[in-house]
Amino acid sequence: MPLYVVATPIGNLQDLTARAREILSTCDGVVAEDTRHSEKLLRHLGVRKALHSLPAFDEQARADGILSRLASGASLALVTDAGTPAVSDPGSILVRKAVAQGIPVIPVPGPSAAIAAVSVSGFPETRFHFAGFLPRKQKTRGEMLGELRALRSQLVFYESPQRLGETLRELHGALGDRTALVARELTKVHEELARGTLSELATRFAGETRGEIVIVVSGAGVPEAADPAELEQEVRDRLARGERPKGIAEALGPAHGKREVYQLALRLQEESD
Ligand code: SAM
């Protein structure tokens, strides 16, 4: 009856947990993103199981068949090609439907590339935001980067090697030249942790790159406190150009606080009258 959501290695087979091995050995069947891929893992474990396919492009349609097997009493283990199911991988639709039907869903945690990369970033922010793959459409991509820009959390992206250089350049443009980490081929023979600013990393990865990649970018810094004398001069200059306190507050409010700027502008206007 339960649906076990089982994390599998992201490269190094020794990272499969003892509990994952036990569940995969004792469950009634395995639900896999790609059955041929997961068959290799099961063979490595010496396990033979009925495999049910749950590809990302067809999860909605396939989920119901899997749910009826669970409802009829089978215990099934969901795995994806690598890492934790439902993290930029199929699984969330099946889990949602299972929850709605009152089927127990049990996590069997283990490797995930995002968590592995955050664990070695060394960045000061204690929080992180998992952004996954950026959308392909330029407009949606730009909007998402605009939203992420203000976050004080580390930002975690998945990216393909072909797009790495371009994406690093784009992140530099959208977020500023922040400190970042490119974590390539984690847990594998050619594991690489490349550190630097986004512009340095964009130069370094401008050419051809191979392997699987996580990018971690440090969060937005705490805005520097404005120099009161500079702010006052800016407001005086604007008043002198004929701008009104309300307009000045609108313009400078996002950086300095709308209310504070408005009151400062009113005071300076009165002084000059
Ligand atoms: N569910 C997986 C997880 O928990 O990490 C992620 C699956 S997603 C389809 C695949 C992406 O994860 C890759 O394109 C890459 O960005 C990242 N990834 C997976 N394995 C990796 C590894 N060994 N090193 C670096 N990144 C990896």
Side-chain angles (χ1 to χ4, degrees), residues 112-179:
S112 182
I115 301 294
V118 168
S119 75
V120 293
S121 81
F123 296 157
E125 300 86 9
T126 50
R127 293 178 293 165
F128 69 89
H129 176 95
F130 177 65
F133 290 101
L134 280 167
R136 287 288 178 93
K137 259 176 98 181
Q138 204 52 47
K139 185 166 175 278
T140 333
R141 207 172 158 90
E143 282 167 6
M144 185 189 263
L145 288 173
E147 282 169 23
L148 297 179
R149 189 183 162 83
L151 294 188
R152 303 252 174 97
S153 320
Q154 300 180 43
L155 306 174
V156 185
F157 302 92
Y158 284 165
E159 191 47 286
S160 74
Q162 295 80 13
R163 304 169 63 89
L164 178 62
E166 198 190 318
T167 296
L168 288 167
R169 269 200 307 282
E170 207 178 336
L171 290 174
H172 174 204
L175 306 173
D177 205 8
R178 299 187 191 178
T179 307

Side-chain angles (χ1 to χ4, degrees), residues 56-74:
F57 63 85
D58 205 21
E59 184 175 355
Q60 187 78 37
R62 305 268 180 116
D64 289 338
I66 294 161
L67 288 165
S68 55
R69 283 192 55 81
L70 287 160
S72 68

Side-chain angles (χ1 to χ4, degrees), residues 61-96:
R62 305 268 180 116
D64 289 338
I66 294 161
L67 288 165
S68 55
R69 283 192 55 81
L70 287 160
S72 68
S75 67
L76 298 179
L78 167 66
V79 295
T80 52
D81 291 355
T84 302
V87 176
S88 295
D89 258 347
S92 58
I93 296 174
L94 178 63
V95 168
R96 190 161 58 246

